[in-house]
Amino acid sequence: MRYPISIQTFATIRNGNYVYVDKTDLVYRLAQEHVCFLSRPRRFGKSLLISTLDAYFSGRRELFRGLKMEALEDKWDVYPVFRIDFAKGRFDLAGELEKVLEEYVSSWETIYGKSDIYITLSSRFQYVLEQAAARTGHQAVILIDEYDKPLLDVLEEDLENVNRSILKDFYGTFKAADASLRFVLLTGVTKFSQITVFSGFNQPNDISMDSRYDAICGITEDELYSVFGEAISEMASKLNYTVETMKAELKKQYDGYHFSNALLDVYNPFSIINAFNKMDIDNYWYKSGTPTYLVKLLEGHHVNMQKLTSRPYESQYFVDYRADAENPLAMLYQSGYLTIKGYDRHYGEYTLDYPNVEVRKGFVALMAEANKCCS
């Protein structure tokens, strides 16, 4: 098997014959929505999802041959796709967010035209969207990856309010240009409060805890065994385990994420792919990097994880981001250090805990790093 290490482009994976866990039935379902928001921990496949949607809405039928999408779609219309990736920006620098947005809007204006009447970024973007729909005969598609990075880069700094205001105004375009929009998806790690970034436009459909999309990012146990059965056997042989013991070790180390009250087990895709590529068990997710914003917020604080996980919560206590080191529940849940472990349907309450061994070890290392300044 060829493993797509550090590859987040759907076309590269398909053309390069890399192993691909077929999520295209869920992609098709998602594409029938209008304006959506999805939160998942870092390195969980959000960028690949964006890339897959880009290929679908761009009518690249050849990339979907042999996949579930092939039996679901028969039109393959080509839509004008507007894709924004905030991962590349350095938003702790004043003016960087405006610069990045200016580059995107200017590049689209060279394709769809520019009007001297409109001078703000949001009004120019709205004009481009309307022109794209008029010229192509198809409504526009907007795909935004890491929508929250311009805010996470500057948490608890003066620049946070500046960036927040810019994004609120820019995202407000979606409301004004609604008639020109076929589909909008914003992805990120965090869901900021509804009264801030998203208040400039109609509330997106938050699918982060929608059980229909539990498996749209990540790998389920059924997918693990059906797609990676040969790799599991090979790893078991190398590590001198039985196949069943190997499955148990992988489950203990990388499984345990739940994104809704359906409690569907989801494995960390980044760690699983790296484990099979190296044929070894290791803490790949944590070693891939620690979120700077998380370290900053936890500096000098001791987080009592036992206390946080010993009581039930209603969902509003952990689904909306709160940059509060004194009450870090939402921050730890959305960053992937905590996940849903139980649900009481009668009371509508959830219990949270570490997803797995890898994350538990990663959290200990995270707290050690956050408290270096106080040693």
Side-chain angles (χ1 to χ4, degrees):
M1 283 186 177
R2 298 189 72 193
Y3 299 103
I5 305 299
S6 300
I7 299 175
Q8 301 172 341
T9 304
F10 180 67
T12 301
I13 291 174
R14 296 293 290 159
N15 289 330
N17 293 316
Y18 291 94
V19 63
Y20 175 70
V21 178
D22 189 356
K23 304 283 186 179
T24 58
D25 56 332
L26 296 178
V27 172
Y28 180 80
R29 174 185 289 172
L30 176 59
Q32 311 315 306
E33 306 278 358
H34 187 45
V35 180
C36 298
F37 167 74
L38 175 68
S39 168
R40 285 293 184 270
R42 64 185 181 86
R43 301 195 182 279
F44 234 86
K46 299 186 296 296
S47 296
L48 177 57
L49 172 62
I50 290 285
S51 179
T52 308
L53 283 161
D54 188 348
Y56 168 67
F57 281 114
S58 297
R60 301 192 63 182
R61 182 174 189 170
E62 74 281 0
L63 296 177
F64 295 87
R65 289 197 178 101
L67 301 179
K68 297 172 184 176
M69 179 76 80
E70 191 174 37
L72 296 171
E73 182 59 82
D74 56 7
K75 293 183 179 180
W76 294 99
D77 290 330
V78 178
Y79 296 86
V81 177
F82 297 83
R83 185 170 170 182
I84 299 175
D85 183 1
F86 284 123
K88 303 168 186 175
R90 174 101 184 268
F91 301 107
D92 56 342
L93 302 175
E96 180 70 9
L97 179 55
E98 298 100 312
K99 177 183 174 182
V100 169
L101 291 175
E102 173 65 36
E103 289 174 350
Y104 276 116
V105 173
S106 293
S107 68
W108 298 328
E109 286 174 333
T110 63
I111 301 172
Y112 298 107
K114 180 178 182 179
S115 172
D116 293 335
I117 298 175
Y118 305 105
I119 57 175
T120 66
L121 279 169
S122 57
S123 64
R124 288 164 58 197
F125 185 33
Q126 179 181 342
Y127 179 77
V128 164
L129 294 172
E130 291 171 348
Q131 287 299 300
R135 293 188 183 194
T136 66
H138 291 288
Q139 294 169 300
V141 170
I142 302 175
L143 305 172
I144 301 181
D145 202 6
E146 296 200 36
Y147 93 101
D148 49 352
K149 190 173 184 293
L151 300 179
L152 294 177
D153 279 359
V154 292
L155 277 181
E156 298 187 325
E157 298 177 17
D158 292 339
L159 197 53
E160 180 186 355
N161 288 330
V162 175
N163 286 358
R164 188 186 301 271
S165 178
I166 293 169
L167 288 177
K168 179 180 176 182
D169 186 50
F170 190 74
Y171 293 151
T173 305
F174 304 157
K175 182 177 182 179
D178 184 68
S180 301
L181 299 179
R182 162 66 177 82
F183 178 78
V184 178
L185 176 66
L186 302 96
T187 71
V189 173
T190 56
K191 180 189 176 185
F192 283 86
S193 173
Q194 293 186 356
I195 63 172
T196 56
V197 181
F198 292 152
S199 59
F201 68 100
N202 294 334
Q203 290 298 310
N205 177 19
D206 184 358
I207 63 170
S208 305
M209 292 183 68
D210 187 329
S211 61
R212 296 175 301 167
Y213 299 107
D214 278 347
I216 200 165
C217 294
I219 298 173
T220 67
E221 195 156 86
D222 286 344
E223 291 168 338
L224 180 69
Y225 295 164
S226 62
V227 176
F228 299 100
E230 181 181 333
I232 294 172
S233 297
E234 184 181 346
M235 183 182 281
S237 177
K238 180 187 175 186
L239 299 181
N240 199 28
Y241 288 148
T242 66
V243 170
E244 290 307 310
T245 299
M246 190 73 257
K247 289 179 179 179
E249 288 297 311
L250 291 170
K251 187 175 184 66
K252 180 174 66 175
Q253 186 76 7
Y254 304 126
D255 189 22
Y257 289 92
H258 305 111
F259 298 112
S260 77
N261 56 28
L263 299 178
L264 176 69
D265 279 342
V266 179
Y267 287 71
N268 184 315
F270 179 82
S271 293
I272 281 290
I273 292 295
N274 276 275
F276 289 143
N277 186 57
K278 294 180 184 290
M279 283 288 131
D280 198 14
I281 299 287
D282 203 348
N283 302 318
Y284 299 104
W285 181 73
Y286 179 77
K287 287 183 177 180
S288 68
T290 304
T292 304
Y293 68 89
L294 201 54
V295 176
K296 285 182 179 179
L297 285 173
L298 295 179
E299 277 182 358
H301 290 82
H302 172 70
V303 177
N304 188 333
M305 192 65 88
Q306 184 174 2
K307 183 178 179 180
L308 284 178
T309 59
S310 63
R311 52 152 294 188
Y313 301 91
E314 295 180 359
S315 63
Q316 66 262 29
Y317 289 99
F318 58 89
V319 297
D320 279 343
Y321 188 84
R322 296 171 177 81
D324 184 358
E326 300 295 337
N327 184 21
L329 185 75
M331 175 174 54
L332 292 172
Y333 170 78
Q334 294 186 24
S335 298
Y337 287 92
L338 289 175
T339 196
I340 297 168
K341 285 297 181 180
Y343 178 65
D344 187 320
R345 194 167 297 277
H346 180 73
Y347 291 102
E349 293 179 331
Y350 297 81
T351 53
L352 308 177
D353 209 338
Y354 296 112
N356 50 50
V357 170
E358 178 185 32
V359 175
R360 183 184 295 113
K361 291 179 179 177
F363 181 74
V364 172
L366 169 66
M367 290 307 301
E369 183 173 352
N371 286 284
K372 282 180 182 177
C373 64
C374 304
S375 59

